[in-house]
Amino acid sequence: MKEKQTIESGKAILGIEFGSTRIKAVLIDEDNKPIAQGSHEWENQLVDGLWTYSTEAIWYGLQDCYANLRKDVQEQYDCEIESLAAIGFSAMMHGYMAFNEKEEILVPFRTWRNTNTGKAAATLSELFNYNIPLRWSISHLYQCILDNEEHVKDIKYLTTLAGYVHWQVTGQFVLGVGDASGMIPVDPKTKTYDAEMVRKFDELVAPYGFGWSLLDILPKSLNAGANAGFLTPEGAKKLDVSGHLKAGIPVCPPEGDAGTGMVATNAVKQRTGNVSAGTSSFSMIVLEKELSKPYEMIDMVTTPDGSLVAMVHCNNCTSDLNAWVNLFKEYQQLLGIPVDMNEVYGKLYNNALNGDADCGGLISYNYISGEPVTGLEEGRPLFVRSANDKFNLANFMRAHLYASVGVLKIGNDILFNEEKIEVDRITGHGGLFKTKGVGQRILAAAINSPISVMETAGEGGAWGIALLAGFMVWNSRELTLADYLDEVVFAGNAGVEIKPTPEDVAGFNAYIKNYQRGLAIEQAAVNYKK
């Protein structure tokens, strides 16, 4: 078999992404097609009021995911992975991983999900005249300084999860420019950290007398296509505990899940965009020019090749929706009916389309955690209705589907209605789009724009980082990343498009008005400490 030959000759490429609930590995062939996969389920922990994953969980998860991939290769092709053409690592962006000179972690990894950095983010946003989100690494760092945390003086390295894993298996302390832009803003001209903002930050913290300046502790920013080091013998053992994988494999710059989502949906060219909808959701619109002013709801990051991107990031998406679907699974089990979760989701999602366009007045707040876009520091999942609302299953499910992208709509309304941003194509990917056509139609109504979904949408960020690794070693024609994706990877495939209907758009607008009026209910629930 061709795939077996690709693996045995060391020509396959490996992409691994650390998502919020799953670590996924994808092996691709020379045609950029996935030929094997592995995964590991994991969950963040709330420790001392902060969301975290332990370093032990990170390495066990990586090793178990890779072992799962090896098993898939052995079952499908009866062969072993000895070498690879390239490897790429990706992970959820932002957060805070600080290490001392012995490369020991100083405090538990603080993930993007934490919202304890409000004072720091507000101060930095004003200082830089630039929206600095709560979850960015610079917000976490400055909040630690404001809170007089003892460890700050000992920081030698500050990085993201993707940067940490890459560093430990290659020895190279670097970061892809897209992930770097979620630490502190990147200058699109220089493709590295904004020099003026770095200067202002160093001046701000100078009175504390730390033995470091910001550039001393941040990873070097690298553009897509750059060589970011090679798998070391120690790194090979950390990845493959069976000992089969050889050292010396080139590794591409580590990227964040936002960047790999753009790559996996062919949305790195200006006037394109993508929406990722899973545990959290975010939209990425690649801009032709800078916005007229900073907006608290909109984060400015970059593509993996350094183009400016307007990002609307929502902490909550499908987690609450999934919890409700699980109730229906339990009911089905009580009846003694065999459960197929794809069927459960399919039936419930498709039935939602039979509901009223405005959900009959029903509202859902899917806030498992805080939601910075709507100003909520903590989350309380709520379902809200009045006695006169049309309470039926279709409206109930439709309200929860609307809620999954409701906050996303609030942010994107600024881009499209106030900034008059124009896009040629928006592509959806992630769990919300697994049931064919439903999530796509809901999102089209939310942002009043045609939405495309590709057959590869389910491959997600692990495939995206594998493509970036391929771009590093297979781009013999020296194409730009956008042209490489257009011409080599996707070859004209734009996916299946659904346009919004006027009725759906009007219905979603009515829903979001109720939703915004009802935010006081959510705030009251947060204020009540149980």
Side-chain angles (χ1 to χ4, degrees), residues 6 43 45 130 140 201 254 282 341 377 417:
T6 298
E43 281 290 345
Q45 306 296 318
Y130 203 95
H140 283 279
F201 183 84
F282 49 82
M341 287 308 290
E377 287 189 11
N417 299 340

Side-chain angles (χ1 to χ4, degrees), residues 211-231:
W212 49 260
S213 60
L214 193 57
L215 289 184
D216 293 336
I217 63 174
L218 291 180
K220 182 182 179 184
S221 172
L222 296 178
N223 230 18
N227 184 289
F230 298 87
L231 190 68

